[in-house]
Amino acid sequence: MMIIRQPLYIYPGDRLDSELDRLRQIFSATAIKSSEPGPPFNHVFLLGPRTAKTTSQLLKYWSLTLNQSSDSTPMIAWGVWMPPQDNPLHAPLVQVYRPLRQSGDRPLLISEQPLQPGELIIVTEHCDSLVMLSPSEVTQTLPDHLQWFVWHSDISMKNFRPIYGQPYPQIFQPQTPVNTINNPGPILRNSPPWLRDCYPEITFPLTPKTPSFQLISLLTSEELAALTLALNDAPWTRQIREASSHDICNLVPWSQSRTCPSVVKQMVWQLQNPNLKRKVAELTGIPVISRRELIGSRLRPGDRLFPGQNPPRDGKLRVQLHWVLQVPHTPERPWDLRVGSSNSPESPSIVYAAKPNSALCLLIGTDSSYEIPLIPENAGDRLSIIMTFEAKVDPTH
């Protein structure tokens, strides 16, 4: 039996039946039959795998589970086909997740692309990734003409195919999750804009139990537009890692050059003002004493950022502000930052929507993890300024 650990993408043309049967032979399956759409989770449908350890590992981070079915027929692979005559605007998004070992097997979105008319996707029960289908934003539902398939082994013929020397586990069916994927974090709104408010009164103490919040409105809309436009000329440097890719710019040296726009010079000067440390300390309840980082970040289509669990090496607490200047396309981006705990995988991640002129305030300690999701191929750039402040003492001790 062939073991295939990645999703297969095939264009069978007008030979769908023969292609399905050819795959049956490759998989050493005894039969193939039509299937109902995959289990739905908050309007996202699972293609496969349905019984592998990968599935339970990834679903637990979203507080989702699959119930065990009484059907003990061993399933080998799952597939979905979109007829070639279907409207591509109605095509669902194919989202492929993979567990990231560096962050306790937290799900990593490695691919997100529309299903193409005429395309057949197959996911085996050996697959190391989890494949989900998200309905098109045009229809908000899966196309009516999608065809789902399952390859299986007929146990009455005693062709019970083993996985790693063990029988196939029984098939699961979905149940209503206790917690949903959408778990929005707290939001604070300040008027006038927070950076222009000399003595803002809003506060939100950051603690290990409440490690983040979103602050709305840092600049006036006119100042934000000018700053965003000026950052297009920044001397960006490309950074590519295993779990992330983005452009960065060290704003302090750039602000000291003759070619730097004046709006950037003025903003960097303000962000370096010692008064900002006081405002951050009063806002978060953390006695910050120094600013360690002031960089620009740009994520282009296809980029994503997943630092994983990234505690300070010196053991000290820090506060980070992810100030979002520009989001790729707000209507299609319901969340922009996800904050989780590697030590508490059973707790749902906290998510924050994409909002220009907002800042995520995050406590960086021994158990901290955040993610910026994949920027779609048809979107614009995501621009932000990241500031990191070091705390005087560790308030958790």
Side-chain angles (χ1 to χ4, degrees), residues 35-41 45-56 59 65-68 75-80 123-127 129-131 148-150 169-174:
S35 172
E36 295 296 322
F41 299 111
F45 295 80
L46 173 65
L47 175 57
R50 308 279 179 92
T51 62
K53 183 180 179 181
T54 299
T55 303
S56 59
L59 290 180
T65 57
L66 290 168
N67 278 344
Q68 189 172 13
M75 302 302 176
I76 297 174
W78 307 85
V80 64
V123 180
T124 70
E125 284 299 302
H126 294 293
C127 189
S129 302
L130 187 70
V131 182
W148 298 69
F149 303 98
V150 57
Q170 293 182 333
I171 296 179
F172 295 87
Q173 295 297 330

Side-chain angles (χ1 to χ4, degrees), residues 314-330:
D314 54 14
K316 297 181 180 179
L317 281 184
R318 294 185 184 131
V319 175
Q320 266 191 0
L321 270 69
H322 291 254
W323 177 17
V324 181
L325 306 180
Q326 172 184 296
V327 297
H329 52 344
T330 303

Side-chain angles (χ1 to χ4, degrees), residues 91-148:
L93 277 179
V94 180
Q95 299 173 324
V96 182
Y97 292 87
R98 184 177 298 166
L100 186 67
R101 293 182 180 179
Q102 305 95 300
S103 187
D105 288 336
R106 189 176 294 276
L108 172 70
L109 181 62
I110 63 171
S111 175
E112 185 178 50
Q113 59 189 8
L115 181 63
Q116 299 297 321
E119 188 172 47
L120 171 67
I121 300 180
I122 304 98
V123 180
T124 70
E125 284 299 302
H126 294 293
C127 189
D128 291 332
S129 302
L130 187 70
V131 182
M132 313 282 279
L133 262 63
S134 177
S136 163
E137 294 170 359
V138 176
T139 62
Q140 299 297 315
T141 59
L142 293 179
D144 295 333
H145 299 141
L146 283 186
Q147 295 185 31
W148 298 69

Side-chain angles (χ1 to χ4, degrees), residues 13-308:
D14 58 356
R15 299 174 55 85
L16 177 63
D17 291 340
S18 60
E19 189 65 33
L20 294 174
D21 188 66
R22 185 176 72 91
L23 290 166
R24 179 190 62 79
Q25 299 176 47
I26 292 176
F27 297 152
S28 299
T30 58
I32 177 176
K33 64 180 181 180
S34 297
S35 172
E36 295 296 322
F41 299 111
N42 301 325
H43 307 294
V44 179
F45 295 80
L46 173 65
L47 175 57
R50 308 279 179 92
T51 62
K53 183 180 179 181
T54 299
T55 303
S56 59
Q57 280 180 331
L58 297 182
L59 290 180
K60 74 178 182 179
Y61 283 99
W62 298 319
S63 299
L64 301 175
T65 57
L66 290 168
N67 278 344
Q68 189 172 13
S69 170
S70 58
D71 185 359
S72 59
T73 303
M75 302 302 176
I76 297 174
W78 307 85
V80 64
W81 178 69
M82 184 176 183
Q85 65 271 17
D86 276 14
N87 189 339
L89 295 177
H90 299 168
L93 277 179
V94 180
Q95 299 173 324
V96 182
Y97 292 87
R98 184 177 298 166
L100 186 67
R101 293 182 180 179
Q102 305 95 300
S103 187
D105 288 336
R106 189 176 294 276
L108 172 70
L109 181 62
I110 63 171
S111 175
E112 185 178 50
Q113 59 189 8
L115 181 63
Q116 299 297 321
E119 188 172 47
L120 171 67
I121 300 180
I122 304 98
V123 180
T124 70
E125 284 299 302
H126 294 293
C127 189
D128 291 332
S129 302
L130 187 70
V131 182
M132 313 282 279
L133 262 63
S134 177
S136 163
E137 294 170 359
V138 176
T139 62
Q140 299 297 315
T141 59
L142 293 179
D144 295 333
H145 299 141
L146 283 186
Q147 295 185 31
W148 298 69
F149 303 98
V150 57
W151 288 260
H152 65 90
S153 175
D154 189 345
I155 59 174
S156 65
M157 299 177 63
K158 299 183 180 180
N159 284 329
F160 200 80
R161 306 288 177 180
I163 296 181
Y164 303 119
Q166 299 295 327
Y168 279 100
Q170 293 182 333
I171 296 179
F172 295 87
Q173 295 297 330
Q175 69 176 11
T176 303
V178 176
N179 297 305
T180 63
I181 296 177
N182 183 26
N183 182 35
I187 298 176
L188 277 67
R189 300 180 184 273
N190 194 65
S191 181
W194 184 74
L195 285 176
R196 295 290 178 253
D197 193 350
C198 296
Y199 299 98
E201 297 181 355
I202 59 172
T203 60
F204 187 94
L206 291 178
T207 69
K209 292 185 178 180
T210 57
S212 62
F213 65 90
Q214 189 176 40
L215 179 63
I216 302 296
S217 183
L218 273 74
L219 281 182
T220 65
S221 57
E222 294 79 8
E223 291 173 313
L224 179 71
L227 181 61
T228 301
L229 182 63
L231 282 178
N232 289 328
D233 298 325
W236 297 106
T237 300
R238 190 73 172 157
Q239 282 197 350
I240 301 177
R241 296 188 176 92
E242 180 182 3
S244 63
S245 62
H246 67 141
D247 301 332
I248 65 169
C249 173
N250 193 332
L251 295 176
V252 175
W254 183 41
S255 68
Q256 297 169 354
S257 69
R258 292 182 302 173
T259 58
C260 181
S262 60
V263 64
V264 176
K265 290 177 178 286
Q266 295 170 4
M267 182 52 56
V268 170
W269 176 85
Q270 184 171 1
L271 297 179
Q272 289 184 295
N273 192 318
N275 186 53
L276 183 62
K277 296 196 295 281
R278 174 189 63 81
K279 294 176 68 172
V280 172
E282 293 176 352
L283 174 67
T284 64
I286 304 294
V288 298
I289 57 173
S290 62
R291 179 187 51 77
R292 296 179 59 95
E293 182 182 49
L294 176 55
I295 64 170
S297 174
R298 179 177 68 178
L299 278 76
R300 295 178 289 177
D303 285 348
R304 68 186 314 281
L305 189 59
F306 192 94

